[in-house]
Amino acid sequence: MTIAEWCVFGTLMLSLLTIVSVKWAGFRSFDNARPRDPDFYDDPIRSRALGAHQNGIETFPFFAFAVLLAEYRDSPQRLIDELAALFLIVRLAYVLTYLGNRPTLRSILWSIGFAINLGIFLLPSIRGYLTS
């Protein structure tokens, strides 16, 4: 597996760990029979963790597809790997700013992550201009 493919896996795990961590931390008040109970997410940190988790689920398909497309279309693997690792780092920072209630920085990081993802997606289109 390539580094980029491991980053796809890491991005998926990050989105899952974001919500699992608050469920574990609130194990006494979390009812697994009612996992979507809105009362559990009344706590501000839990609410932000849910938001970060949902955003992770929303961004994952485009990232995974972009990586696979770039690899399938023979874009420079080293560049794909570097951009995918950068995306994962930005996503981690995004989650931390979401949990830390830093909305402006969070939006900036989301935009950077989207630009990185777009760059991976467009690599097949510009690979002729890149040196290997």
Side-chain angles (χ1 to χ4, degrees):
M1 287 180 59
T2 66
I3 291 171
E5 291 163 356
W6 280 110
C7 289
V8 168
F9 178 72
T11 301
L12 176 64
M13 294 308 296
L14 177 62
S15 121
L16 295 175
L17 290 174
T18 302
I19 196 67
V20 167
S21 61
V22 296
K23 288 181 179 181
W24 282 343
F27 72 96
R28 294 192 193 280
S29 59
F30 179 72
D31 181 4
N32 200 41
R34 299 177 54 210
R36 299 182 197 278
D37 181 12
D39 291 339
F40 179 76
Y41 299 102
D42 279 345
D43 177 75
I45 191 79
R46 292 177 189 166
S47 176
R48 290 192 301 271
L50 178 63
H53 167 71
Q54 290 171 335
N55 186 266
I57 290 171
E58 293 163 359
T59 61
F60 178 76
F62 183 42
F63 174 62
F65 179 76
V67 166
L68 294 176
L69 175 70
E71 289 184 342
Y72 175 75
R73 303 293 269 162
D74 295 325
S75 297
Q77 188 61 51
R78 182 174 176 194
L79 188 53
I80 299 168
D81 290 343
E82 291 169 352
L83 289 172
L86 186 58
F87 179 79
L88 180 56
I89 291 166
V90 168
R91 285 300 302 175
L92 177 60
Y94 173 87
V95 167
L96 293 174
T97 57
Y98 211 132
L99 294 174
N101 198 23
R102 304 292 301 225
T104 302
L105 183 56
R106 181 184 82 215
S107 295
I108 291 168
L109 289 169
W110 184 92
S111 298
I112 292 168
F114 184 76
I116 294 166
N117 204 8
L118 196 57
I120 296 169
F121 180 79
L122 294 174
L123 277 177
S125 301
I126 61 171
R127 77 171 182 260
Y129 300 104
L130 302 172
T131 57
S132 295

